[in-house]
Every structure is written in C-alpha cells, then in structure tokens.
C-alpha cells in the first residue's frame, strides 16, 4: 500500500508539474490570464501531490500537514480564477479576486489557530479535520468549484469544442478533488487527481 501510494503520487506530481510548465510557457507567448491561473493552480496541485508522496514515504510534520491543507484550498481557488477569466465582466472578476483573497486568508487563520494532528490513515490523507478548518476551507472551495462548473458549461455551450471540454472537465475534477477531501470524502481525492490530470493532458495534447 505504501509503495503504491508513493509511486502514484510521484507520477501525478511529475505529470502535473510538466503540464504546469507548459501552461506557464504558453502564457509568456499568448498572455491569456486563464492560462496563467490554471498553470499556477497546477503548480500548486503538483506541490500538493509531492507532499502526499512525502507523507507516503513517512515524512510527516504538523507544519507539512497544515501546508498541505492550505495548498488544497489554494489550488482550487486558483483554478477557479483561471475559469473566471473567461467571463467578460470586469466587475465579476474583481469581486472574485477580493473573495479569493479574503477566503484564503480565513483558511490560513483557521490553520494557525487549530490543532491538526495526524491526518494519515495507511499512508493516505484520510483523517477528519478540525471544524474551523472545514468551515474556512469550504467557504474558499465550494464557491470556487461552483464557479468552475458554471463557467465551464457556459464556455462549452458557446464554443462546442471537444478539446476545451476535456480541459475544462480536467480542471473541474481536479478542483472537486480538493473540495471532496475538505467535505470529508477523502477516498475520492486520489482517484479524482488521477482522472483530472489525465483529462487535462488529453485536452492540451489534442490542441497541438
């Protein structure tokens, strides 16, 4: 079990890091804000799965656990910011920037004041979280997941692009992975990570 979790976490880390670099390189050429935020979100996703690999290897501290929990919330927020860039209204974008900053500050505060013990079960991130952390993280991630799904539906209705559908589906699933863990459905985390990164790769590869 330990070797399987470690190997799968490392594989997802490598794939998501490579895709993040590809997106950030694309941003330098095309200057699309959505690409920048999605690339940054995937960079955090890669960092989060790297932490999962460290946990599976037996490297665990309270600081790393709290850092991991913040990364889970922050990556969902960044992916949502990437999707919100597809909305034309500047007021909507500015409002969501403000919401993201405040909600992530609340997540950071909740982690600072809450006691987080061992969140691993059989080398997998599985244990329940303190109530304040769950509340703060839910405030940050649930609206983000909803924003991603709504924007995805509107974008697909407008473009009817199968390539974009795969990309958006990957973003949705990766973001839902973090949201489900926070909502106390941790078993879905690793499956969603693998499916989400596969869809993202399929979408961006088919665009070339």
């Amino acid at each position: 079990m330990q070797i399987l979790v470690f190997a799968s976490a490392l594989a997802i880390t490598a794939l998501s890091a490579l895709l993040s670099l590809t997106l950030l390189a694309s941003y330098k050429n095309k200057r699309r804000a959505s690409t920048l935020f999605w690339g940054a979100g995937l960079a955090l996703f890669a960092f989060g799965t790297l932490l999962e690999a460290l946990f599976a290897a037996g490297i665990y501290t309270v600081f790393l656990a709290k850092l991991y929990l913040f990364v889970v919330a922050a990556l969902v927020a960044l992916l949502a910011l990437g999707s919100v860039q597809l909305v034309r209204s500047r007021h909507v974008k500015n409002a969501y920037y403000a919401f993201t900053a405040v909600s992530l500050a609340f997540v950071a505060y909740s982690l600072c004041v809450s006691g987080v013990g061992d969140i691993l079960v059989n080398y997998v991130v599985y244990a329940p979280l303190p109530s304040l952390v769950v509340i703060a993280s839910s405030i940050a991630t649930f609206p983000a997941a909803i924003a991603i799904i709504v924007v995805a539906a509107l974008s697909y209705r407008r473009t009817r692009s199968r390539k974009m559908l795969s990309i958006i589906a990957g973003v949705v699933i990766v973001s839902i992975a973090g949201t489900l863990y926070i909502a106390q459905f941790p078993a879905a985390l690793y499956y969603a990570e693998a499916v989400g990164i596969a869809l993202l790769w399929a979408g961006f590869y088919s665009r070339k």
Side-chain angles (χ1 to χ4, degrees), residues 3-28:
I3 295 176
L4 177 61
V5 173
F6 179 75
S8 61
L10 273 187
I12 295 172
T13 297
L15 289 171
S16 53
L18 184 58
L19 187 53
S20 172
L21 290 174
T22 301
L23 286 170
L24 294 175
S26 175
Y27 171 73
K28 292 180 69 175

Side-chain angles (χ1 to χ4, degrees), residues 108-161:
Y109 169 78
S110 72
L111 289 169
C112 288
V113 301
S114 300
V116 175
D118 190 351
I119 59 175
L120 302 182
V121 176
N122 293 327
Y123 304 102
V124 174
V125 179
Y126 200 90
L129 304 175
S131 298
L132 182 60
V133 174
V134 173
I135 292 170
S137 299
S138 297
I139 290 173
T141 60
F142 275 91
I146 292 170
I148 290 171
I149 293 170
V150 170
V151 173
L154 293 175
S155 298
Y156 178 68
R157 189 176 70 174
R158 185 173 65 251
T159 64
R160 297 293 178 180
S161 169

